[in-house]
Amino acid sequence: NPATEQVIAQVAEAGVEDVDVAVRSARKALDGEWGHMKASDRGRLLLKLADLIKRDEEELVMLESLDSGKPVSAIRRQDLPAVIDTLVYYAGMADKINGQVIPARADALTYTVREPVGVVGVIIPWNFPLMIGMWKMAPALACGCTLVVKPAEITPLTALKIGELALEAGFPAGVVNVVPGFGKVAGQALVDHPDVDKVTFTGSPTVGRQILQGAAGNLKRVTLELGGKSANIIFPDADIDAAVKAAGSGIFFNTGQVCSAGSRILAHADIYDEVVERLAARAKSMRIGDPLETSTSMGPLVSEVQMNRVLSYIDIGRGEGARVVTGGARATDKGYYVQPTVFAGVEHEMRVSQEEIFGPVATVIKFKDDDDALRIANGTVYSLAAGVWSADIARVHRFARQLKAGTVWINTYGPTDIRLPWGGARDSGFGREHGDMAIENFTEPKVVWINTGR
Ligand code: NAP
Ligand code: MG
């Protein structure tokens, strides 16, 4: 428990052999009852799982909070509803995965069907264990795949509970396998396994690259969602109140451990000081504390490693000459809490402005005009998300077109919806999750060509 530094559970560590057993069980399930099930019945199982999650909601909230340090209020408000929405959405899609009749020739009936891609390795990070896990599991199951799920070593509890609930819901044994363990061992074994057809991963670019290399062995299909250093751009003609409020939650929500965190706040020179000052006030007003208290708005970082990583970035920022306006240190002696931190005087080239910190650290960067904002916003290796605040309709459309990002938010920051494609490019990875694009990730098209003669 990162809030107390206490051990809350002992979890078995899957080794290479365990992963192999899980993959074989997933392969077998693919050829059994599951493989012959009506698509609408797969949808019904997903709905049933949603009902069981609703029934056990409070247990899941507690597990997720104790394991990750996320405030219960946020899990209740955001993660759990998103998990259920995801299941209901893909439940409805299970029997709408259509092929096409494509009239290629006069002497043939030619059509396509979409078959499940097969055994899917699902590798989950610790920042949204339940929600990101379900973003991957629900569409894969809707498509008829079977899963081997490797949760992050430090947050395995809710994935194990979901495995239990999947069995209770009636998914045949072997359809959902959960292998808690270390990334280097269990994760790597899954990635290297010759009988895994696809890996879907969310996490760091470093591991993303390792996954691509491992996947080369049997040419697994891969989807990678690898985070970012997203720009949130504020112009003087924006609603500054709303912009600063959203910029605050854009970086401090989930203690900054969000792939699309608005970690670079780009403020126009005319309002720079005002934005810095107001953002600092918002940082100071965050209610840091026990994640189990409903009034808490910010919990600890997920682990000691992550806390030290964030603190070392704060040192790096200071060393580079950026100014800590508020925060900048551990918040408590016990628990991995770091004060919400605002850096001003940040230059675009600094490491704190280029590298993903994954903590409650806002960097505020000054820009002078539209071109300058665009140059800075697009000037990292990432390409996941961006935000623009302005009342100028031509400007926001121009930015929507020119920003390099998988999602551009205009006069808002951060919302996601399972109906909308999610993902990025360059070091943010490739492929899109969510919506019907996820169906492409988990199906393989097949052409059937019937010679009819003429
Ligand atoms: P990470 O190493 O990329 O972990 C993500 C997942 O991959 C975990 O389940 C991890 O398992 C697993 N993994 C690690 N090495 C693996 C390997 N060789 N083969 C297969 N799976 C492997 O991320 P992290 O070290 O926890 O965090 C480091 C940084 O990554 C963060 O500071 C942040 O910048 C970024 N990150 C981004 C996101 C995002 O949403 N895009 C999420 C988390 C982290 P173990 O945890 O058991 O090692
Ligand atoms: Mg790691």
Side-chain angles (χ1 to χ4, degrees), residues 123-128 132 150-154 181-191 201-208 210-211 225-228 257-260 302 305-306 309 356-358 382 384:
I123 302 181
I124 312 179
W126 40 257
N127 56 338
F128 295 91
I132 294 183
K150 210 300 281 174
E153 189 272 324
I154 49 176
F182 291 93
K184 282 192 169 61
V185 181
Q188 192 68 49
L190 197 51
V191 169
F201 171 79
T202 298
S204 60
T206 308
V207 174
Q210 286 164 9
I211 285 177
E225 204 272 78
L226 309 177
Q257 303 165 121
V258 180
C259 48
S260 54
V302 75
V305 170
Q306 193 61 19
R309 188 184 148 90
E356 185 173 48
I357 298 174
F358 230 60
Y382 291 108
L384 183 64

Side-chain angles (χ1 to χ4, degrees), residues 167-433:
L167 279 178
E168 187 184 339
F171 284 92
V175 173
V176 180
N177 306 273
V178 184
V179 287
F182 291 93
K184 282 192 169 61
V185 181
Q188 192 68 49
L190 197 51
V191 169
D192 291 340
H193 203 292
D195 207 26
V196 171
D197 300 293
K198 154 101 195 175
V199 169
T200 169
F201 171 79
T202 298
S204 60
T206 308
V207 174
R209 289 187 166 83
Q210 286 164 9
I211 285 177
L212 269 189
Q213 281 167 0
N218 67 336
L219 295 172
K220 284 178 189 66
R221 293 171 56 180
V222 175
T223 309
L224 302 175
E225 204 272 78
L226 309 177
K229 189 73 183 179
S230 300
N232 192 2
I233 309 166
I234 309 176
F235 283 95
D237 63 354
D239 174 345
I240 305 293
D241 259 352
V244 172
K245 192 163 175 247
S249 42
I251 181 61
F252 299 130
F253 176 65
N254 209 41
T255 323
Q257 303 165 121
V258 180
C259 48
S260 54
S263 49
R264 294 185 299 150
I265 293 147
L266 274 51
H268 187 274
D270 291 352
I271 51 164
Y272 184 82
D273 293 338
E274 183 189 354
V275 167
V276 168
E277 195 180 307
R278 290 218 213 169
L279 189 66
R282 289 210 72 83
K284 285 188 199 131
S285 74
M286 297 294 297
R287 289 182 305 272
I288 303 182
D290 181 355
L292 301 180
E293 290 289 339
T294 49
S295 59
T296 296
S297 59
M298 202 172 106
L301 288 152
V302 75
S303 65
E304 189 174 8
V305 170
Q306 193 61 19
M307 176 184 73
N308 288 333
R309 188 184 148 90
V310 171
L311 290 172
S312 84
Y313 266 114
I314 293 173
D315 286 344
I316 290 169
R318 282 199 176 97
E320 291 178 307
R323 179 168 58 88
V324 173
V325 182
T326 184
R330 259 189 103 158
T332 52
D333 300 335
K334 237 333 164 243
Y336 309 126
Y337 291 90
V338 171
Q339 295 167 342
T341 300
V342 176
F343 268 117
V346 178
E347 300 293 336
H348 174 54
E349 295 73 22
M350 291 178 179
R351 283 184 64 192
V352 285
S353 168
Q354 290 290 322
E355 297 173 21
E356 185 173 48
I357 298 174
F358 230 60
V361 182
T363 57
V364 194
I365 304 167
K366 192 182 286 187
F367 69 88
K368 54 179 198 296
D369 56 25
D370 289 34
D371 286 348
D372 199 29
L374 208 54
R375 175 187 66 84
I376 297 169
N378 285 340
T380 74
V381 293
Y382 291 108
S383 200
L384 183 64
V388 183
W389 295 82
S390 171
D392 180 335
I393 194 165
R395 172 189 282 149
V396 298
H397 280 293
R398 191 166 64 247
F399 272 73
R401 192 169 64 235
Q402 295 184 345
L403 283 165
K404 290 184 186 170
T407 296
V408 177
W409 287 295
I410 307 290
N411 293 327
T412 183
Y413 195 91
T416 59
D417 192 287
I418 197 62
R419 289 149 199 85
L420 301 171
W422 180 249
R426 301 189 293 153
D427 269 28
S428 296
F430 53 75
R432 291 293 183 274
E433 305 193 81

